């Protein structure tokens, strides 16, 4: 229950540079899985799609739908790779923690990388920074500045606060959902290991919760991409 | 229990700056690699298919139009051919009728001609016969006369007399 993270404090002698090695491992694993899936789906591509290629094309259409519901496709196509990669990475990360949590000694090695606030906040900040970047790039600095005083100038402070609250909620929503899922799973595992009765009692909730976590993992990946595109459209679309 | 609370509140490890940098790097690398190796080709393929389908539809439309035109042409051709056949048959019928008439005409003429020539022949034969008869009658009558009347009449007078009789007989006929 009381698991520690395998920390590597003050890496390379730099005082503020701390690494959570399990996060590093899981980031690598998640990235690797997404990459392998992506590449495997696009080997032997044919005009008549078969099997896995079909699935990947469905995924592309799915993300296209998310983007298309928020902005004009002509600007939206720019964000398709971003949306796909975000969705794939977050979904796979979420699933990694649902499938199993691995503990070596007292250290929690195998978990969802998205069950760490630092990582989800990094993704959220990256997304928000990207929205500002594309807002300036696609519409110019003047138009970009104007978005802060529209529709009324006195909204400026709220608009600025909104940027930070968006970042915070985007990152922490994902973290909270996934972390809560893992906590409950580890509690159920703890119950299951106490006694035979506990095992019997924990079995059904465990299965139910894993199913629910899978659902949550999908929904959270979807919401993250959806909100990314919503924020993006606020910055890059003319009518917002 | 205290550990659980700590976990719940602060998260598994709190904020580690290294993690953040690593996450950013991982994500950017993943994005670039996937874009290059997966999304790019896949989207290209989907675009390719879109173009292909659009092209196919266009081709199908075109060939359908072509087929319609050809069908119309064929129908016209058929109609023309039918008309041609009709006119040829008409022509043939007309020609046949003409020929029939010609043949009948020429047959009639031929028959007429044959009739005329036969009549002429008959007349000639008759004239010839009459001549022969005349001659014979003349000589016979001379013979008879010479036998019967002996030499009272000269042969010349006799001949004139006979000619007169024959002429009278001919006129009577």
């Amino acid at each position: 229950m009381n698991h520690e993270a395998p920390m590597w404090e003050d890496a390379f002698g730099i005082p503020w540079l701390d690494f959570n090695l399990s996060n590093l491992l899981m980031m690598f694993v998640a990235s690797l899985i997404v990459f392998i899936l992506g590449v495997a789906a696009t080997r032997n591509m044919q005009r008549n799609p078969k099997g896995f290629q079909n699935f990947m094309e469905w995924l592309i259409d799915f993300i296209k739908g998310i983007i298309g519901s928020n902005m004009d496709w002509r600007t939206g196509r720019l964000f398709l790779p971003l949306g796909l990669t975000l969705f794939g990475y977050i979904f796979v990360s979420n699933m990694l923690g649902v499938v199993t949590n691995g503990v070596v000694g007292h250290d929690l090695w195998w978990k969802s990388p998205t069950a760490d606030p630092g990582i989800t906040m990094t993704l959220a900040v990256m997304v928000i920074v990207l929205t500002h970047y594309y807002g300036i790039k696609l519409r110019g600095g003047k138009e970009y500045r104007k978005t802060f005083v529209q529709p009324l100038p006195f909204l400026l402070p709220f608009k600025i606060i909104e940027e930070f609250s968006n970042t915070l909620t985007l990152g922490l929503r994902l973290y909270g959902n996934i972390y809560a899922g893992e906590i409950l799973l580890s509690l159920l595992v703890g119950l299951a290991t106490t006694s035979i009765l506990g095992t019997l009692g924990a079995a059904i909730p465990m299965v139910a919760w894993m199913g629910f976590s899978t659902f949550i993992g999908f929904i959270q990946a979807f919401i993250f991409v959806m909100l990314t595109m919503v924020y993006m459209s606020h910055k890059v679309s003319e009518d917002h | 229990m205290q550990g659980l609370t700590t976990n719940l509140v602060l998260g598994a490890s709190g904020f580690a700056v290294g993690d953040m940098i690593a996450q950013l790097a991982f994500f950017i690398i993943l994005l670039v690699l996937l874009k290059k190796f997966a999304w790019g080709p896949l989207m290209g393929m989907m675009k390719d298919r879109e173009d292909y389908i659009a092209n196919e539809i266009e081709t199908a439309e075109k060939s359908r139009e072509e087929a319609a035109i050809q069908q119309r042409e064929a129908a016209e051709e058929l109609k023309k051919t039918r008309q041609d056949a009709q006119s040829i048959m008409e022509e043939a019928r007309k020609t046949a009728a003409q020929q029939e008439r010609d043949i009948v005409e020429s047959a009639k003429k031929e028959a007429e001609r044959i009739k005329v020539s036969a009549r002429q022949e008959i007349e000639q034969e008759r004239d010839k016969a009459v001549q022969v008869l005349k001659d014979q009658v003349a000589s016979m009558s001379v013979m008879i006369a010479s036998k019967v009347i002996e030499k009272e009449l000269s042969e010349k007078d006799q001949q004139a007399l006979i000619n007169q009789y024959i002429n009278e007989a001919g006129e009577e006929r």
Side-chain angles (χ1 to χ4, degrees):
Chain A
M1 280 304 304
N2 199 1
H3 298 134
E4 305 277 322
M7 295 301 288
W8 178 20
E9 313 251 351
D10 302 344
F12 311 116
I14 305 168
W16 47 267
L17 196 64
D18 296 343
F19 283 101
N20 182 341
L21 293 179
S22 88
N23 277 345
L24 278 185
L25 172 71
M26 295 319 294
M27 273 180 229
F28 179 70
V29 170
S31 302
L32 195 68
I33 290 174
V34 174
F35 182 69
I36 288 172
L37 286 180
V39 170
T42 51
R43 291 310 93 182
N44 298 320
M45 272 198 304
Q46 276 148 8
R47 196 179 275 141
N48 278 356
K50 263 187 253 170
F52 205 25
Q53 191 191 342
N54 252 333
F55 171 73
M56 270 302 162
E57 291 191 1
W58 170 81
L59 191 64
I60 286 186
D61 280 336
F62 176 65
I63 304 296
K64 257 188 189 173
I66 294 176
I67 297 174
S69 65
N70 284 306
M71 59 188 114
D72 186 19
W73 178 238
R74 204 171 304 156
T75 48
R77 65 193 307 166
L78 195 60
F79 309 120
L80 185 57
L82 173 70
L84 277 168
T85 313
L86 264 181
F87 184 82
Y89 180 75
I90 292 173
F91 180 68
V92 168
S93 298
N94 294 349
M95 286 309 104
L96 285 177
V98 174
V99 175
T100 178
N101 280 8
V103 178
V104 178
H106 251 295
D107 290 345
L108 179 64
W109 275 98
W110 188 279
K111 63 190 196 77
S112 285
T114 43
D116 185 286
I119 285 172
T120 58
M121 283 311 292
T122 308
L123 288 174
V125 169
M126 180 193 75
V127 163
I128 299 296
V129 168
L130 276 178
T131 65
H132 287 271
Y133 170 72
Y134 279 109
I136 295 171
K137 190 185 173 190
L138 295 183
R139 300 186 64 199
K142 206 174 148 198
E143 286 288 311
Y144 165 76
R145 277 196 295 276
K146 252 201 207 159
T147 58
F148 285 97
V149 289
Q150 273 173 344
L152 294 168
F154 76 85
L155 285 175
L156 178 64
F158 300 101
K159 289 272 187 181
I160 291 169
I161 291 169
E162 189 192 14
E163 295 304 323
F164 289 98
S165 65
N166 279 350
T167 316
L168 210 58
T169 53
L170 186 62
L172 291 186
R173 178 186 302 108
L174 177 59
Y175 156 67
N177 275 281
I178 305 310
Y179 187 62
E182 286 202 353
I183 287 290
L184 196 52
L185 272 183
S186 63
L187 283 175
L188 285 169
V189 169
L191 175 63
T193 49
T194 49
S195 63
I196 296 175
L197 211 62
T199 310
L200 290 177
I204 290 170
M206 186 93 171
V207 170
W209 188 252
M210 279 172 91
F212 188 61
S213 282
T214 308
F215 177 67
I216 291 285
F218 174 80
I219 286 291
Q220 286 307 318
F222 171 72
I223 288 176
F224 197 95
V225 174
M226 183 61 133
L227 285 175
T228 300
M229 293 311 158
V230 168
Y231 299 151
M232 195 67 92
S233 79
H234 281 188
K235 295 293 177 214
V236 302
S237 292
E238 304 291 330
D239 52 335
H240 281 285
Chain B
M1 204 57 208
Q2 204 194 342
L4 178 63
T5 324
T6 323
N7 272 358
L8 277 174
V9 171
L10 291 178
S13 62
F15 289 93
V17 181
D19 284 1
M20 293 179 178
I21 296 167
Q23 174 59 62
L24 201 59
F26 266 110
F27 188 80
I28 289 167
I29 291 168
L30 183 64
L31 182 61
V32 168
L33 284 180
L34 277 180
K35 196 174 174 183
K36 186 158 189 317
F37 291 110
W39 312 139
L42 196 52
M43 276 149 72
M45 176 55 76
M46 287 170 89
K47 181 90 180 73
D48 182 43
R49 183 183 312 132
E50 248 166 57
D51 292 349
Y52 176 74
I53 288 169
N55 205 22
E56 282 298 282
I57 288 172
E58 206 173 292
T59 312
E61 195 75 19
K62 213 178 278 170
S63 59
R64 199 178 59 84
E65 262 166 38
E66 231 159 71
I69 289 171
Q70 274 176 354
Q71 197 192 14
R72 218 176 306 136
E73 270 173 10
E76 250 164 51
E77 196 75 20
L78 189 65
K79 204 170 137 197
K80 218 174 84 186
T81 310
R82 212 169 269 162
Q83 276 177 346
D84 277 0
Q86 195 97 25
S87 71
I88 287 169
M89 258 161 68
E90 200 68 34
E91 193 79 18
R93 201 170 291 145
K94 238 185 263 173
T95 315
Q98 185 67 36
Q99 270 178 353
E100 186 193 308
R101 237 177 294 137
D102 284 356
I103 288 168
V104 169
E105 192 71 24
S106 70
K108 258 185 200 159
K109 265 189 202 152
E110 184 69 13
E112 195 66 30
R113 198 182 58 77
I114 289 171
K115 232 161 79 182
V116 168
S117 78
R119 189 168 291 152
Q120 275 174 351
E121 223 162 280
I122 288 168
E123 222 137 89
Q124 270 176 8
E125 286 299 313
R126 201 196 61 187
D127 283 358
K128 221 186 272 174
V130 166
Q131 196 64 40
V132 168
L133 206 59
K134 246 187 223 170
D135 287 353
Q136 271 185 4
V137 167
S139 62
M140 265 169 69
S141 43
V142 169
M143 252 164 52
I144 293 164
S146 58
K147 278 220 175 122
V148 174
I149 317 163
E150 297 174 335
K151 283 218 178 181
E152 254 171 84
L153 279 167
S154 73
E155 205 174 25
K156 202 176 166 194
D157 290 344
Q158 188 112 5
Q159 185 71 41
L161 205 63
I162 286 163
N163 272 354
Q164 188 192 338
Y165 280 135
I166 284 170
N167 276 352
E168 273 168 16
E171 270 162 17
E172 258 174 36
R173 198 175 54 93

